[in-house]
Amino acid sequence: MTDIFTSDFRTTPYWWDRFPPAEDIPGEVPASTDAVVVGSGYTGLHAALQIARGGRSVVVVDALRLGEGCSTRNGGQISHSVKPGHGELTRRYGEATARRILADGRQSRSFIEKFVTDENLDCAFAPCGRFHAALSARGFEKLRHDAENQPAGFETRVTVVGRDAQREEIGSGLYHGGVVFHEHASIDPGRYHAGLLDLVRHAGATMLPLTRVTRISTGDAGAKVETARGTISTRDVVLATNGYTDAVSGWHRRRIIPIGSYVIATEELPQALVDELDPKGRVFSDTRKVVYYYRSSPDRRRIVFGGRVSAAESDTATSAKRLHAEMVRIFPQLESCRISHSWMGLVGYTFDTLAHVGRKDGVYHAMGYCGSGVGMASYLGMKTGRAVLGQADAATGLGETDFPTRPFYSGKPWFLPAAVQFYRLRDRLGL
């Protein structure tokens, strides 16, 4: 197949076809407010919603259009959002903190479902379950072992699926079986962000897109947030920039690793083909360290397929070809299908593969979701808003951990190509 692109191919997210980033025209920059939230993704909007509903004035500022970052560029998959397991967390932090961190993961999943239900958001939320596939027999045995040895008090409903039965879950013969995590879910990230944004507006927050913050200064009397369009005096500042964190806070930038995650969407497919590929409407991932994630679209007419395609960052036309090739390796049935959309977003990774929430030099932060941000960003954004209000229920297990960096790291991940190559080699060897 020489041309994999449709005639109307777009380099914007598929989710934007119906819900593009809001085209708000930024108004005047107010001289003062109770709180400034920097970033208009899930984290920032949930923080702003809590603050505004708590009776305080709040201004949300963003260098881009509202929601133009990774909150509307992801694959719309929701998990328990904590990558290290109980054993690793216990070795790092002790049993009590490990259990509180795991509890944050569970609560992030339950929070987002309750939120979209209570707020009546039309965002295609579905508790569909995830099929996590094993790329090797060794990987399958590890998945089986972990499913049968879950930490007490944190058991989750998991079904082990052998290779002989995996086509009941996925229309692929590539894998060696896998497990179904029944509590994982999916959402339309564009529709979810649009609904959340409407709630924040209705709560009375002031929205200032296309307003880049150039400096934040804090002191005993409060803070000043300088932007390219004016300066705001404020009591509290929330930094909610995740993978888009820049030099406005060098401390935070040194702790976030921005990693490009690339996604494609296929052209519309026959219904019978989608049913063959994704018979139960699951979301999918596999045991590779260099992650791929995929699903059918909410209307079950396309496959949305994402992951890391190269050691260095790439353009979206090149990444589309590489993602298409990997998609066809998993689903040979899609060899002749074309790609209608290809896009990317910046994931905020951390050196300890944990999200972090807290306050540094008078600035609140929540960031570092390591590719599992839909639920956790929503949850930690809410918790950060509660912290600004001084509420006792703002405490989290994740807030008990240090936010690490590495010597000589300034926010540009020069080590990323070598790390990706290393993990690709491990994946090829089945390690």
Side-chain angles (χ1 to χ4, degrees), residues 64-255:
L64 306 174
R65 292 177 294 174
L66 301 175
E68 192 173 352
C70 220
S71 287
T72 60
R73 294 174 178 271
N74 62 83
Q77 300 191 13
I78 302 169
S79 68
H80 288 138
S81 304
V82 176
K83 292 189 181 299
H86 174 263
E88 175 63 24
L89 291 171
T90 300
R91 286 189 291 274
R92 291 186 197 176
Y93 310 113
E95 176 71 16
T97 298
R99 296 184 75 82
R100 285 192 286 272
I101 291 172
L102 290 174
D104 284 335
R106 301 304 172 88
Q107 290 163 16
S108 73
R109 165 62 183 83
S110 58
F111 168 75
I112 192 168
E113 180 167 13
K114 186 176 188 302
F115 180 80
V116 300
T117 301
D118 290 351
E119 301 290 348
N120 196 30
L121 294 187
D122 177 16
C123 55
F125 177 87
C128 57
R130 175 192 303 270
F131 182 67
H132 188 56
L135 201 63
S136 66
R138 180 177 179 177
F140 176 74
E141 289 307 318
K142 185 178 187 307
L143 290 179
R144 183 204 295 276
H145 175 270
D146 291 349
E148 294 173 351
N149 294 274
Q150 299 184 59
F154 290 96
E155 298 88 353
T156 187
R157 192 159 63 96
V158 179
T159 299
V160 178
V161 180
R163 191 172 195 175
D164 59 339
Q166 75 178 12
R167 284 193 180 270
E168 297 174 14
E169 299 291 340
I170 184 171
S172 174
L174 178 68
Y175 297 114
H176 292 254
V179 295
V180 176
F181 295 105
H182 293 278
E183 295 173 11
H184 293 195
S186 65
I187 204 166
D188 181 322
R191 288 162 64 182
Y192 173 51
H193 184 274
L196 176 58
L197 180 58
D198 283 346
L199 294 175
V200 175
R201 286 189 177 118
H202 184 73
T206 297
M207 315 303 296
L208 294 179
L210 307 176
T211 304
R212 180 175 294 278
V213 173
T214 56
R215 187 168 183 266
I216 299 172
S217 56
T218 59
D220 294 339
K224 288 190 181 295
V225 178
E226 298 176 26
T227 80
R229 302 177 52 246
T231 299
I232 310 171
S233 297
T234 185
R235 171 179 169 178
D236 296 299
V237 180
V238 175
L239 191 64
T241 46
N242 200 36
Y244 297 80
T245 300
D246 60 20
V248 74
S249 175
W251 189 90
H252 293 90
R253 192 184 192 191
R254 290 193 63 232
R255 285 154 176 82

Side-chain angles (χ1 to χ4, degrees), residues 10 12 77 88 129 200 204 277 313 315 349 400 405 427:
R10 302 175 180 87
T12 53
Q77 300 191 13
E88 175 63 24
V200 175
L277 302 177
E313 300 301 353
D315 64 87
Y349 230 84
E400 298 174 21
T405 185
D427 288 339

